[in-house]
């Protein structure tokens, strides 16, 4: 997705540069082709931007449905390019006028309505996702994230583009062209830094997760029925949000489910241990860290498919 974003970004720049630089003295049909494809590349950028954020933060691919609109614009403009190249001398024909009008109206709708709408929509989705994934480190830290800067730099380009549309100034055109050369190295550096930070953060989470598992196994923290994530984080010398993230990302489960897993395994050992043969089910649940018989029964059956009593009788038999 990242490579696709940069490829389309490059095509936007090439199309914009060729179609707005008369001094190049290129073939008129070539200039027209790049001018038409510019609308396609432009409307592809917003969903690709969100796709980059989604891939890097959620490890998910953007569904293909988000690209239906750009594909439709692409097909219309490609058909128009091919039609005009095959019918260069039939300007007065009805079919020629229909194709020309459809192409013109579609591209006007793209630049006046669709592009602003999809830009706002996908920028909103990008910022929303960034705030969600950075929520554990505080709201203010979301503004400091590398991908937030990456998105903000993209929106600056959109702002320059709208200024160009409103004022049609040569100065703004030069600024847009210069911005491409500035944005490429900056955004690549930002994405590189984001990757480095993710690796470092992942290492921190792995170490914290291993430390927590060690504490559960050696010190049997799970036997404390009043154990909370805040209390566990205090034992580990960290904060509850970091601990929660480490469990979610490494173990792919919640704090309570992980703790209950250890409690169920411990209860299973007690249920088949002859020394605890005369203990009631509720007592074994309490010893294992469960704060009530109903909670013990519910969690145990969910994990094993049997109630504690059924498990005991089955193993005893």
């Amino acid at each position: 997705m990242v490579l696709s974003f940069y490829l389309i970004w490059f095509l936007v720049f090439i199309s914009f540069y060729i179609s707005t630089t008369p001094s190049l003295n290129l073939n008129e049909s070539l200039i027209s082709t790049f001018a038409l494809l510019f609308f396609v590349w432009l409307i592809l950028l917003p969903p690709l931007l969100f796709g980059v954020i989604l891939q890097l933060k959620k490890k998910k691919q953007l569904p293909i449905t988000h690209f239906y609109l750009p594909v439709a614009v692409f097909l219309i403009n490609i058909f128009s390019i091919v039609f005009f190249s095959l019918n260069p001398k039939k300007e007065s024909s009805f079919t020629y006028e229909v194709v020309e009008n459809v192409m013109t109206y579609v591209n006007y709708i793209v630049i006046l309505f669709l592009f602003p709408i999809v830009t706002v929509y996908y920028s909103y989705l990008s910022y929303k996702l960034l705030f969600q994934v950075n929520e554990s480190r505080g709201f203010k830290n979301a503004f400091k994230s590398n991908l937030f800067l990456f998105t903000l730099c993209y929106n600056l380009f959109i702002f320059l583009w709208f200024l160009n549309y409103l004022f049609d100034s040569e100065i703004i055109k030069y600024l847009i062209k210069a911005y491409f050369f500035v944005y490429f190295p900056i955004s690549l550096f930002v994405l590189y830094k984001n990757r480095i930070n993710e690796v470092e953060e992942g290492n921190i989470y792995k170490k914290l997760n291993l430390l927590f598992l060690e504490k559960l196994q050696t010190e049997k923290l799970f036997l404390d029925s009043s154990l909370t994530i805040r209390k566990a984080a205090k034992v580990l010398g960290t904060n509850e949000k970091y601990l929660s993230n480490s469990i979610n990302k490494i173990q792919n489960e919640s704090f309570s489910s992980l703790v209950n897993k250890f409690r169920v395994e411990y209860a299973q050992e007690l249920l088949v241990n002859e020394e605890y043969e005369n203990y009631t089910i509720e007592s074994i649940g309490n010893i294992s860290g469960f704060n009530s018989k109903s909670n013990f029964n519910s969690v145990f059956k969910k994990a094993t498919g049997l109630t504690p009593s059924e498990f005991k009788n089955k193993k005893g038999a």
Side-chain angles (χ1 to χ4, degrees), residues 57 127-143 145 205 241-242 245:
K57 301 310 293 183
Y127 288 122
K128 181 181 178 183
L129 178 59
L130 288 174
F131 285 126
Q132 285 176 347
V133 297
N134 284 283
E135 187 179 2
S136 61
R137 289 177 287 178
F139 185 76
K140 291 182 180 179
N141 285 336
F143 290 99
S145 70
Y205 286 153
K241 290 179 180 178
Y242 258 89
N245 280 343

Side-chain angles (χ1 to χ4, degrees), residues 148-241:
F148 181 86
L149 178 61
F150 172 77
T151 310
L152 195 63
C153 287
Y154 165 80
N155 289 138
L156 178 59
F157 159 72
I158 303 302
F159 176 71
L160 288 174
W161 167 250
F162 281 126
L163 286 181
N164 175 69
Y165 167 72
L166 291 174
F167 301 106
D168 194 24
S169 166
E170 288 299 318
I171 295 176
I172 297 175
K173 283 185 173 65
Y174 282 122
L175 284 175
I176 291 175
K177 292 172 184 177
Y179 184 78
F180 277 97
F181 292 103
V182 175
Y183 180 78
F184 267 104
I186 289 179
S187 61
L188 283 171
F189 175 74
V190 165
L191 292 178
Y192 171 76
K193 286 288 291 181
N194 178 76
R195 177 58 182 162
I196 295 298
N197 290 345
E198 281 190 342
V199 171
E200 292 176 350
E201 188 178 72
N203 290 334
I204 292 172
Y205 286 153
K206 286 179 182 177
K207 290 178 181 178
L208 187 56
N209 182 69
L210 287 173
L211 180 59
F212 182 50
L213 290 176
E214 183 183 339
K215 292 287 184 181
L216 287 173
Q217 292 167 350
T218 59
E219 299 183 17
K220 293 186 169 41
L221 296 179
F222 59 87
L223 296 182
D224 180 3
S225 61
S226 63
L227 182 68
T228 61
I229 192 167
R230 177 175 294 184
K231 187 182 289 187
K234 191 174 180 180
V235 172
L236 298 174
T238 185
N239 65 65
E240 56 188 285
K241 290 179 180 178

